[in-house]
Amino acid sequence: MSDAIGRGDLVLCVNAAPNHVTGAPVPLVAGETYRVWEVLEFACPCGRGDALLDVGIDFAWCQTRFRLLPKPKAREKPRKVAAPKETEKVG
């Protein structure tokens, strides 16, 4: 996953279980989206992830807690065309 994810991507928290190393509760909320600040190419101590994600809460979290959300597709917006106004000569 670390190859597919990068700085600025949106990720969905799918696992807000207690910290699997210390057992302490985590401040993440399952179902919430977070923006990735940094991808740290260090293996997680649990051995399940090959990278840690910094999402701006505490330090860094195992990538297995998150799923990458698809990037929004560009939509074509209708544009207004400025046309000259018709004037009628009085004469």
Side-chain angles (χ1 to χ4, degrees), residues 1-9 11 36 38-44 48-54 61-68 71:
M1 178 173 154
S2 62
D3 293 336
I5 196 166
R7 180 184 282 178
D9 286 339
V11 290
V36 176
E38 191 70 42
V39 177
L40 307 169
E41 297 295 333
F42 299 107
C44 185
R48 291 180 274 179
D50 62 348
L52 298 173
L53 302 181
D54 182 4
W61 301 99
C62 182
Q63 69 181 11
T64 59
R65 291 185 181 271
F66 302 99
R67 295 293 173 264
L68 179 63
K71 294 186 181 186

Side-chain angles (χ1 to χ4, degrees), residues 23-42:
V26 299
L28 301 172
V29 178
E32 290 284 323
T33 56
Y34 298 93
R35 185 164 305 276
V36 176
W37 288 13
E38 191 70 42
V39 177
L40 307 169
E41 297 295 333
F42 299 107

